[in-house]
Amino acid sequence: MTNGKLERVTRAVYPGSFDPPTNGHLDVIERAAGCFGELIVAIVVNPQKRTPMFSLQEREDMLKASATSIGGVRVEHFRGLLADYVKAAEADVIVKGLRVVSDFESEMSAAMMNRSLSDVDTLFLMADQKYSFVSSSLVKEVFFLGGDVAALVPEPVLRVMAEKRNNLQRR
Ligand code: PNS
């Protein structure tokens, strides 16, 4: 970025459940890594109101295998409020991905809440439109019902998902 204001922004946090990471997430990570000096991909340990299918360790391993080859990216995790995490991490901005207009409704209130709690702004990046229908929950549903999701998740994620499906089938 050459814009004066954005140039001062160096550390961004891209938070999410990443249960599992998808190619849509990776697309946002690549775009954000191109905008900011440092990008922390921050996995929420316990997503609100649901138990993740993949353990924190699995989510962390999948993200590290898929994303840390991109320069300036590191993977961390956090518990509790995102606003507290970004303050402790001394982040300049929160990055969120938008797929479709309906994502914006909930993201707008979350962005305002996070700004009021931490004084940190949220910047939105559009994932490539070929990922506009891709979500972690749909990917899980399709995969565990036998559908092909190879084009929708990074290769390391597909391997972990296949292992989990095999383990579940053996039970
Ligand atoms: O990938 P997700 O599930 O859409 O990510 C949601 C996430 C992790 C960004 C959101 O649930 C979050 O920020 N959780 C931490 C708890 C928190 O700060 N809640 C108030 C948000 S305004």
Side-chain angles (χ1 to χ4, degrees), residues 101-123:
V101 174
S102 55
D103 283 348
F104 185 71
E105 265 185 48
S106 55
E107 290 300 348
M108 193 175 91
S109 44
M112 288 177 173
M113 178 61 84
N114 284 323
R115 188 169 60 192
S116 80
L117 293 171
S118 68
D119 206 26
V120 175
D121 272 305
T122 300
L123 297 184

Side-chain angles (χ1 to χ4, degrees), residues 15-18 25 42-44 46-48 50 78 80-83 96 107 109-111 113-114 117:
S17 308
F18 305 107
H25 292 127
I43 307 168
V44 67
N46 295 313
Q48 296 304 111
R50 61 199 143 92
F78 71 101
L81 281 177
L82 175 61
K96 293 277 189 87
E107 290 300 348
S109 44
M113 178 61 84
N114 284 323
L117 293 171

Side-chain angles (χ1 to χ4, degrees), residues 7-65:
E7 226 167 16
R8 289 205 302 276
V9 172
T10 54
R11 182 176 295 157
V13 167
Y14 177 40
S17 308
F18 305 107
D19 186 41
T22 68
N23 282 344
H25 292 127
L26 259 291
D27 185 61
V28 171
I29 291 170
E30 278 169 11
R31 287 171 198 282
C35 294
F36 308 111
E38 212 182 309
L39 180 69
I40 304 173
V41 180
I43 307 168
V44 67
V45 175
N46 295 313
Q48 296 304 111
K49 294 187 237 146
R50 61 199 143 92
T51 308
M53 170 173 276
F54 296 93
S55 68
L56 174 63
Q57 188 67 57
E58 287 171 323
R59 289 179 285 149
E60 208 151 8
D61 290 347
M62 287 187 282
L63 272 171
K64 282 183 176 163

